[in-house]
């Protein structure tokens, strides 16, 4: 178990806190594995009624660790990242996200699998897959247009446009935009505690009815995206984009 993920189980709520401040909570294989395992274990734990995924008061996550991308350590549907994605995609208990600061790549796509999303007004949501020579993941190529319509999904996925938490709320990607910091974490906790007091079977059935088969399709799309993603990750465009990030320079695509 990595100390880059803090796990708390109290008052009927499983809280996963990303804890790798020096790398802006970039997600490693170990962190994905620990998150996936904790969410999967909650499925069979009757004492857990809701799950919170959060970062710190100033950063959600900068997405997949770029040096893991460079090492190409992400492929295969049995890899830790896919274990995590499948766990969030099929979680029967409500998932609640608290987003402060940057939510890059999977930091935003994982939100598409959450049920309640609280963001800082100045949070920075971004899915720069194309910019990195990659393609959408986590079922986002299916979930995002369905949620926002094609033009907005294209703006976010083709251009890799960054949006604020306030804008994310305006377009229906989040529930509430709050002043940055503790207020966001508190709002997520308050929602989780409300859920924890509700009748659990009714909550879980309602979640399933609301998602109405979406998870099944998202899972299928995720597999297809994963194959393309793995292929692109080995390509020259991704290599240039990812190396440029690590070298703190602008990428050049010839
Ligand atoms: N993987 C690995 N390291 C990362 C990282 C990532 N996804 N994101 C940030 N870091 C590291 C930086 O390299 C830097 O390390 P250093 O101090 O050893 O140089 C440190 O975290 C701080 O990042 P920095 O970019 O200086 O912070 P910032 O506040 O200026 O910007 C972000 C924060 C999140 C906007 C910016 O780091 C970013 O855009 N990250 C890239 C995210 C990305 O492309 N993820 C993949 C998405 S698919």
């Amino acid at each position: 178990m990595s100390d880059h993920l803090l796990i708390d189980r109290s008052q009927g709520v499983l809280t996963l806190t990303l804890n790798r401040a020096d790398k802006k909570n970039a997600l490693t294989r170990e962190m994905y594995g620990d998150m996936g395992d904790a969410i999967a274990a909650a499925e069979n734990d009757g004492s857990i009624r809701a799950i919170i995924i959060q970062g710190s008061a100033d950063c959600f996550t900068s997405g997949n660790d770029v040096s893991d991308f460079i090492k190409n350590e992400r492929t295969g549907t049995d890899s830790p990242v896919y274990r995590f994605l499948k766990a969030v995609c099929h979680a029967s208990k409500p998932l609640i996200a608290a987003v402060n600061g940057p939510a890059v790549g999977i930091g935003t796509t994982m939100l598409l699998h959450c049920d309640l999303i609280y963001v800082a007004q100045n949070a920075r949501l971004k899915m720069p897959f194309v910019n990195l020579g990659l393609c959408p993941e986590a079922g986002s190529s299916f979930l995002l247009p369905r949620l926002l319509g094609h033009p907005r999904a294209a703006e976010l996925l083709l251009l890799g446009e960054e949006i604020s938490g306030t804008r994310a709320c305006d377009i229906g990607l989040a529930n509430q935009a709050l002043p940055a910091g503790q207020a966001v974490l508190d709002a997520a906790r308050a929602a989780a505690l409300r859920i924890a007091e509700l009748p659990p079977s009714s909550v879980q059935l309602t979640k399933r009815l609301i998602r109405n088969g979406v998870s099944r399709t998202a899972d299928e799309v995720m597999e297809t995206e994963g194959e393309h993603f793995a292929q692109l990750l080995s390509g020259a465009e991704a290599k240039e984009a990812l190396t440029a990030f690590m070298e703190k320079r602008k990428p050049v695509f010839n």
Side-chain angles (χ1 to χ4, degrees):
M1 173 74 63
S2 156
D3 57 4
H4 290 153
L5 180 72
L6 307 179
I7 300 181
D8 176 72
R9 295 179 185 85
S10 58
Q11 298 176 287
V13 180
L14 167 67
T15 304
L16 304 177
T17 305
L18 306 172
N19 183 42
R20 197 183 173 213
D22 60 328
K23 296 293 177 191
K24 301 284 168 186
N25 292 332
L27 296 165
T28 60
R29 287 167 63 84
E30 199 176 8
M31 290 162 78
Y32 285 127
D34 290 347
M35 286 195 290
D37 291 347
I39 295 168
E43 286 296 307
N44 303 315
D45 182 346
S47 72
I48 300 296
R49 308 284 191 83
I51 299 169
I52 297 175
I53 304 179
Q54 62 184 23
S56 50
D58 66 351
C59 180
F60 188 56
T61 171
S62 58
N64 199 95
D65 188 293
V66 170
S67 47
D68 279 358
F69 267 159
I70 289 171
K71 285 185 257 165
N72 210 341
E73 285 193 344
R74 199 187 135 111
T75 51
T77 46
D78 56 348
S79 64
V81 63
Y82 285 105
R83 262 182 25 236
F84 165 68
L85 287 175
K86 281 188 185 284
V88 289
C89 183
H90 295 292
S92 63
K93 315 219 169 153
L95 288 175
I96 300 163
V99 180
N100 275 297
V104 187
I106 199 165
T108 293
T109 57
M110 75 167 85
L111 304 179
L112 303 172
H113 299 276
C114 291
D115 302 293
L116 294 169
I117 301 153
Y118 299 93
V119 291
Q121 287 150 355
N122 66 356
R124 296 161 58 192
L125 288 77
K126 190 175 178 179
M127 291 168 284
F129 300 113
V130 167
N131 315 59
L132 291 171
L134 298 168
C135 69
E137 37 95 278
S140 57
S141 62
F142 163 68
L143 293 169
L144 206 64
R146 188 177 175 276
L147 189 65
L148 307 182
H150 179 85
R152 281 178 176 151
E155 195 173 76
L156 297 183
L157 287 174
L158 277 178
L159 293 176
E161 194 85 332
E162 178 179 298
I163 56 167
S164 68
T166 302
R167 171 103 177 119
C169 261
D170 290 346
I171 63 177
L173 196 52
N175 292 81
Q176 198 180 353
L178 296 145
Q182 191 59 38
V184 178
L185 308 180
D186 289 347
R189 180 100 203 143
L193 291 177
R194 278 177 65 186
I195 287 174
E197 288 185 347
L198 293 168
S201 310
S202 188
V203 164
Q204 287 170 38
L205 175 62
T206 301
K207 167 167 174 161
R208 197 163 77 233
L209 291 170
I210 295 172
R211 294 196 84 83
N212 190 23
V214 160
S215 305
R216 226 177 9 255
T217 314
D219 193 341
E220 285 167 18
V221 172
M222 211 144 62
E223 300 240 345
T224 309
E225 289 172 344
E227 287 163 20
H228 292 298
F229 198 100
Q231 221 164 15
L232 288 171
L233 198 51
S234 317
E237 292 176 356
K239 186 164 182 250
E240 166 59 11
L242 296 167
T243 311
F245 172 77
M246 293 310 271
E247 293 173 355
K248 301 186 191 298
R249 63 171 172 82
K250 202 171 154 23
V252 181
F253 303 107
N254 292 317

